[in-house]
Every structure is written in structure tokens, then in C-alpha cells.
Amino acid sequence: MLKVASYNMRKAIGTDRRRRPERILDVLGEIDADIVALQEADRRFGTRAAVLTPHLLAEHSDYQAVPVAVRAASMGWHGNVLLVRKSAEILAATPIQLPALEPRGAVSADVAVAGTRIRVVGMHLDLSGLWRRRQAKAVLDHLADASDAMPSVMMGDLNEWRPTAGCLQDFARSHSIAETGPSFHAKRPVGRLDRIMVSPGLTIAECGVHVSPAARVASDHLPIWALLA
């Protein structure tokens, strides 16, 4: 069994409007996933500095960040970060260029966790439905163009409110979508904006939204998770 999670951490600005990165790590500790996809993990302007500093991540978590950053101060690519356990082996990693009017991106990594090799994609898609579908195609093309096949899991904030239309329809042609439940807004979740999707070869054994007092205040999104077999 492999546990994965996705979390739009909103640059660690909580529902109390305070930026406290340590609360994000507390929530990740509660979930205890093997692989985590983070969105909005870097600041948006200036040097795009990481919100979870390398020191904070190293000293207060069991995770290492997959090296996909292009900017020296960043942890991710357009705010997208993949975290894996320190015991995991990172076999390959790359940022994915997405077509967009505003800065958007995705990240991909091949990792070995407890002897299992898996390809992981983290993403944060556009607010526009037309651009989301173009971005979904870019992600799916990236997976299809890989020289070696392995089971894949895609996670992130898709910004898709409709349950089966748009980019979800595109992803569903090749991946199963976990029924995790509504994750936005953290105070009163009604939207299923955050998604976990897996390819054939992976089975979703359990899944859900992580709800705790810490999660309700740490970001405006609740994290989602899935147990994969």
C-alpha cells in the first residue's frame, strides 16, 4: 500500500490570514503520506522564494523535495512541489511546461518507495476551462511520451467545479479519479477542486479529505489523500 496526498497550501497563509509554514508541516505529519503534491508552495512574486524553507523541511519533517526548481530560491515550479520520504529514491524529475495565459506549470518525478516504482505528476491548473483542457492534454502527452512505462498518479488543484466535464473528462479516459470529496473552502468545503487520479496498475483502496482542527486553519484548501494498491 502506498499513501499519497495533495495539498494547496496557499503559500502557508491560513484562514486566519497569518503565514505560518510550520502549520503546513503539522498537517502533513497528521496525514503521514509517502508522496505529497503541494501547490502554491513558493511565493508568487520576486525571487519566488520557497515558503517551506530547506531548513524547516529538513529539521521538522520526514520529507525531501524533488529537485525541479528553476529559480535558486524556489522549491518548485510555478509553486508546484513534490515531496517524498527521505528514505525514497528519486529516479528522475522534470518540470512540465503548460500552455497558459498566466504562469502555470506541473512537475513530474519517477520515484521508488519501499521497492515500488511510480511516476507522479503534481499540477495546479488554470481558472479558465479552455486553458485547463489544453493543460490537461500537455500533462497526458508528457505521460504518453515517456520512454519507459510505469504506473502513474496525478494530483493537484484542477480548479474544475464540474464533476465529470472539462479536464476531468479528459483525464478519465486513461486514469481513475478518486472520490475524495469536497476540499474547498476549508471552513465550509463544497468544491471538489483537488483531485487524485491513477493509471491502470494502481487501485484506489481508500481515499478522503483530511479534516482536522489544524487543517481547517492552515490553508483555504483541505488536503486530500488516497491509499493505493
Side-chain angles (χ1 to χ4, degrees):
M1 302 294 284
L2 188 71
K3 191 173 188 180
V4 299
S6 181
Y7 194 11
N8 184 330
M9 55 177 279
R10 198 197 182 193
K11 307 171 190 67
I13 299 174
T15 53
D16 59 359
R17 300 183 182 179
R18 297 179 179 179
R19 190 191 305 275
R20 293 187 172 174
E22 65 277 4
R23 295 191 298 201
I24 299 298
L25 294 181
D26 290 341
V27 173
L28 295 182
E30 293 174 349
I31 302 170
D32 194 30
D34 299 294
I35 303 171
V36 180
L38 295 176
Q39 302 86 51
E40 298 192 23
D42 296 326
R43 294 176 186 255
R44 187 172 184 179
F45 302 107
T47 61
R48 311 311 204 262
V51 176
L52 298 175
T53 64
H55 172 77
L56 191 64
L57 192 68
E59 295 295 324
H60 300 282
S61 82
D62 185 40
Y63 292 111
Q64 58 178 319
V66 172
V68 294
V70 175
R71 294 174 178 264
S74 300
M75 181 180 288
W77 170 244
H78 290 302
N80 291 284
V81 169
L82 294 173
L83 300 180
V84 298
R85 294 197 187 277
K86 293 176 181 176
S87 59
E89 182 183 2
I90 301 170
L91 306 173
T94 184
I96 304 173
Q97 296 279 357
L98 296 184
L101 289 176
E102 59 177 323
R104 294 285 177 176
V107 291
S108 175
D110 298 346
V111 298
V113 182
T116 298
R117 295 172 73 245
I118 187 170
R119 181 162 291 135
V120 187
V121 174
M123 69 189 88
H124 189 184
L125 301 189
D126 206 280
L127 296 174
S128 161
L130 174 62
W131 285 100
R132 282 197 298 272
R133 298 200 73 169
R134 292 173 177 173
Q135 291 162 359
K137 182 180 184 302
V139 171
L140 291 169
D141 286 347
H142 169 81
L143 292 177
D145 291 343
S147 58
D148 55 336
M150 67 179 70
S152 61
V153 54
M154 301 184 293
M155 303 184 282
D157 179 355
L158 305 191
N159 271 317
E160 180 60 74
W161 288 84
R162 297 168 296 177
T164 57
C167 66
L168 286 176
Q169 188 177 38
D170 301 327
F171 286 128
R173 293 192 183 100
S174 57
H175 287 67
S176 299
I177 302 174
E179 293 295 331
T180 50
S183 54
F184 181 83
H185 186 279
K187 286 188 173 182
R188 188 179 180 183
V190 294
R192 299 189 180 201
L193 304 186
D194 305 284
R195 296 284 184 167
I196 295 173
M197 303 165 285
V198 302
S199 70
L202 294 172
T203 300
I204 302 164
E206 297 179 47
C207 62
V209 178
H210 180 77
V211 182
S212 71
R216 286 198 181 278
V217 71
S219 171
D220 61 346
H221 284 245
L222 295 171
I224 60 172
W225 59 271
L227 276 177
L228 309 180

